[in-house]
Amino acid sequence: GAVVSQHPSRVICKSGTSVKIECRSLDFQATTMFWYRQFPKQSLMLMATSNEGSKATYEQGVEKDKFLINHASLTLSTLTVTSAHPEDSSFYICSATNRRDLNTEAFFGQGTRLTVV
Amino acid sequence: DAKTTQPTSMDCAEGRAANLPCNHSTISGNEYVYWYRQIHSQGPQYIIHGLKNNETNEMASLIITEDRKSSTLILPHATLRDTAVYYCIVRVDQGGSEKLVFGKGTKLTVNP
């Protein structure tokens, strides 16, 4: 299957700082990317959907000014957690698909474990 | 909200078939059923998807009922490495933008 790479896999940051997570599609053009957050023993929660070259669509309850998403190219999307606090500690996962087609599978990155201290 | 419901957990003996059910009674005509699995602390892995016909690949088979209100994922010969949380997802088309919304999934434990 297609490869989606996330970086970093783990990050520890101080409260109040910002953290950027990168999501790259390595062997296909990702027209749509999804960002998820997963707390321990819970399912993945969709945070936002981004289409290349346009603004991300955020799910209800997700602060767009806190979780900045950029999808400027067909192979890269970034999620920046601004002014991180301990409650932002979570497992963040991206997913990418190569067209806006319900008959196309999305592939997932390996996730980023964020710990805010 | 997810459009699917699954049992919270299931057990299966190694070497036997694992049959994981999923209900999606509100599925629309153009929405596909996807199955992913997640092994602890990793990103989800794609397994299979389908619209209305049964599908089979090297990992699993997907059986979709004729009314499309439910489906079953079949792992024909489960191994210990198949222990994971299995998610059944209806890929939703919302006004030209599509979403992949996860429910709670089924935790499958394959026992030796």
Side-chain angles (χ1 to χ4, degrees):
Chain A
V3 179
V4 174
S5 176
Q6 238 180 285
H7 178 80
S9 57
R10 288 179 179 272
V11 58
I12 301 172
C13 72
K14 290 185 178 181
S15 187
T17 62
S18 296
V19 173
K20 181 184 283 189
I21 301 169
E22 292 187 348
C23 180
R24 292 181 185 272
S25 58
L26 300 185
D27 53 359
F28 68 100
Q29 294 185 325
T31 55
T32 304
M33 285 189 171
F34 305 93
W35 285 96
Y36 296 84
R37 180 168 54 181
Q38 186 175 32
F39 292 107
K41 298 187 178 180
Q42 293 187 23
S43 184
L44 285 75
M45 186 193 80
L46 181 64
M47 299 174 69
T49 302
S50 73
N51 294 303
E52 186 267 338
S54 60
K55 290 184 178 180
T57 302
Y58 289 80
E59 294 300 302
Q60 193 171 13
V62 178
E63 300 174 57
K64 61 179 69 176
D65 294 331
K66 181 167 182 65
F67 299 100
L68 301 179
I69 292 172
N70 183 282
H71 189 175
S73 80
L74 285 171
T75 58
L76 174 65
S77 176
T78 60
L79 167 68
T80 301
V81 183
T82 63
S83 186
H85 289 96
E87 57 266 31
D88 298 323
S89 298
S90 188
F91 192 51
Y92 291 86
I93 308 169
C94 73
S95 174
T97 187
N98 71 346
R99 61 179 186 268
R100 291 172 62 180
D101 183 338
L102 298 184
N103 187 22
T104 303
E105 59 266 41
F107 297 95
F108 285 78
Q110 66 269 45
T112 297
R113 176 80 54 195
L114 170 63
T115 303
V116 185
V117 298
Chain B
D1 289 338
K3 297 181 70 170
T4 62
T5 55
Q6 299 174 251
T8 303
S9 63
M10 292 183 67
D11 282 83
C12 175
E14 187 179 19
R16 305 298 289 267
N19 299 292
L20 291 90
C22 178
N23 287 322
H24 32 80
S25 58
T26 61
I27 193 170
S28 298
N30 66 338
E31 291 174 340
Y32 285 74
V33 179
Y34 281 77
W35 282 84
Y36 286 81
R37 70 181 182 185
Q38 185 180 29
I39 296 170
H40 183 62
S41 294
Q42 297 182 24
Q45 176 190 21
Y46 167 79
I47 302 173
I48 199 167
H49 75 281
L51 182 64
K52 53 185 176 182
N53 297 322
N54 297 338
E55 302 287 343
T56 296
N57 63 20
E58 65 278 5
M59 288 185 70
S61 294
L62 174 61
I63 309 298
I64 303 174
T65 58
E66 194 169 337
D67 63 7
R68 301 214 320 125
K69 293 186 177 181
S70 65
S71 61
T72 301
L73 177 75
I74 301 172
L75 307 178
H77 305 287
T79 70
L80 299 179
R81 288 185 294 180
D82 292 324
T83 292
V85 178
Y86 286 75
Y87 295 99
C88 167
I89 301 161
V90 170
R91 193 154 177 172
V92 178
D93 184 359
Q94 290 197 343
S97 176
E98 34 92 29
K99 291 185 176 185
L100 209 57
V101 178
F102 283 72
K104 296 184 191 289
T106 296
K107 180 171 173 53
L108 175 69
T109 303
V110 181
N111 300 304

